Amino acid sequence: MKDIMPNNGQFAMPTLPYEALGKVISKETLSFHHGKHLKAYVDNLNKMLPGSGLENLPLSEVICKAEGGLFNNAGQVLNHAMYFEQFANNPKPMGGKMKALIERDFGSVEDFKKEFEAKGATLFGSGWVWLSADKDGKLVITQQKNAENPVTMGLTPLLTFDVWEHAYYLDYQNRRADYLAALWQIVDWQVVEGRL
Ligand code: MN
């Protein structure tokens, strides 16, 4: 996968290029989710990495080799960096290349969205639903628990929706399915396609 988190000995906080995302994700949710939750993962990662033997690796390789607390914090840093990067207030629509791949592997864009939302809604507990490409370029949807990222299974992660309660509870309370359905409005498909 493309390296979106440069390792300069320490990992910097991913920047947030918006304060709110229309009516889909509030400023309050983003301030907690990015400013508190992600900040804690970045700080923990930077504390745990020195002396681990993995300090010079790209973050996706740290995740493939780390265990325990280092795995959890490294995974959550990459997962959130990808999550926040893929949204925009004026998102670019899906391009022809991605549309063709989705139609080939899921039948239609609507069928893909339905399956993606269902996998997000039925993931028990905390985690992430992902769209990835496998080694042959086939698109797959996976449910990943807690801090998992499909890169550990040899997949190239393309799109992810965070289904930890901290991602939606202030705006949607227990209505996870409504949160998932609303996110399509803010997905910037140019960013997603750039990960192919
Ligand atoms: Mn989160």
Side-chain angles (χ1 to χ4, degrees):
M1 65 175 292
K2 284 169 192 163
D3 191 4
I4 62 164
M5 290 289 294
N7 182 349
N8 301 311
Q10 296 271 288
F11 287 97
M13 265 294 280
T15 52
L16 195 63
Y18 39 75
E19 283 200 336
L21 286 160
K23 291 184 175 159
V24 179
I25 303 179
S26 68
K27 187 174 175 178
E28 188 185 21
T29 289
L30 286 171
S31 79
F32 278 98
H33 198 184
H34 181 270
K36 306 282 187 198
H37 290 278
L38 176 55
K39 175 78 163 55
Y41 295 131
V42 171
D43 289 347
N44 286 334
L45 171 63
N46 284 328
K47 267 183 230 154
M48 298 174 93
L49 203 53
S52 66
L54 306 176
E55 50 269 71
N56 298 316
L57 297 177
L59 189 53
S60 59
E61 290 182 37
V62 173
I63 290 161
C64 290
K65 294 185 168 138
E67 292 177 346
L70 180 55
F71 170 81
N72 287 333
N73 285 285
Q76 286 295 74
V77 170
L78 182 59
N79 296 351
H80 284 94
M82 295 185 71
Y83 175 79
F84 290 121
E85 183 196 49
Q86 74 197 1
F87 296 137
N89 277 302
N90 293 298
K92 304 280 191 310
M94 187 183 292
K97 184 181 174 189
M98 179 61 76
K99 188 161 182 283
L101 292 174
I102 284 178
E103 288 174 348
R104 182 194 68 187
D105 295 333
F106 300 101
S108 71
V109 173
E110 281 316 301
D111 286 337
F112 155 70
K113 287 182 177 175
K114 215 185 291 176
E115 183 181 338
F116 197 84
E117 288 176 42
K119 289 222 164 111
T122 57
L123 192 159
F124 188 79
S126 296
W128 303 77
V129 56
W130 290 89
L131 174 70
S132 302
D134 73 10
K135 285 193 182 70
D136 303 319
K138 185 182 185 313
L139 300 183
V140 291
I141 300 172
T142 58
Q143 292 175 318
Q144 313 276 168
K145 286 192 167 302
N146 300 321
E148 290 172 2
N149 183 299
V151 76
T152 61
M153 304 187 297
L155 299 172
T156 301
L158 303 176
L159 169 73
T160 190
F161 288 179
D162 186 347
V163 299
W164 285 59
E165 284 189 345
H166 68 223
Y168 61 87
Y169 217 83
L170 292 173
D171 297 333
Y172 297 86
Q173 294 78 48
N174 61 324
R175 291 175 285 113
R176 187 195 282 186
D178 291 352
Y179 153 76
L180 291 168
L183 288 180
W184 299 118
Q185 298 171 50
I186 53 169
V187 171
D188 190 316
W189 285 98
Q190 190 170 295
V191 173
V192 175
E193 288 166 36
R195 295 170 177 168
L196 266 171

